[in-house]
Amino acid sequence: MTDDAGTDAQRRTWRKLVTQVCNMLIEYPSTERAARLAAREWFQSTTRLTVAQFRDMKLSEHSSQHDDAAVEYLVRQDTFRRAFAAEVGKILVDEGRLNANTP
């Protein structure tokens, strides 16, 4: 059992390291753009999906357009998730500022 746990921990550590290194070396502007658009779309839609479900659906749609190796997919996934979260945060802050100035 410790071998399996050790292997899982090693995989998680390896995945994290590879993602960090690749993020420093590779940029995916189309992925960032798609993530920002997906975040805006979630706020404007009437979907019953949670924000995470919607994000993952849009990530899947975006990723299906690319023939990535495993490492490239991990980087693309990380890029999409970060950009999506940043855009959701930006939208919430902007809306908060707008509503704070409204009597």
Side-chain angles (χ1 to χ4, degrees):
M1 181 148 180
T2 55
D3 291 335
D4 291 336
T7 303
D8 287 342
Q10 289 171 341
R11 286 182 187 143
R12 284 191 301 275
T13 301
W14 175 248
R15 179 179 175 173
K16 185 177 180 180
L17 177 63
V18 168
T19 301
Q20 289 171 345
V21 170
C22 289
N23 278 341
M24 291 184 289
L25 301 174
I26 303 171
E27 294 183 15
Y28 289 100
S30 67
T31 300
E32 289 179 358
R33 188 171 34 258
R36 288 192 304 272
L37 290 172
R40 290 185 208 135
E41 186 180 339
W42 183 79
F43 277 100
Q44 295 171 350
S45 73
T46 58
T47 183
R48 291 183 168 260
L49 297 175
T50 67
V51 68
Q53 290 169 331
F54 191 83
R55 177 204 62 207
D56 291 345
M57 178 184 74
K58 290 297 186 176
L59 172 59
S60 179
E61 289 173 8
H62 177 73
S63 295
S64 69
Q65 300 169 7
H66 304 279
D67 188 26
D68 291 334
V71 171
E72 291 171 319
Y73 174 76
L74 291 176
V75 175
R76 188 176 302 281
Q77 179 183 47
D78 186 63
T79 299
F80 192 96
R81 288 183 172 175
R82 287 175 188 260
F84 187 92
E87 190 66 21
V88 167
K90 181 181 178 300
I91 291 168
L92 291 174
V93 168
D94 289 347
E95 284 297 313
R97 287 182 183 152
L98 177 67
N99 291 330
N101 295 326
T102 306

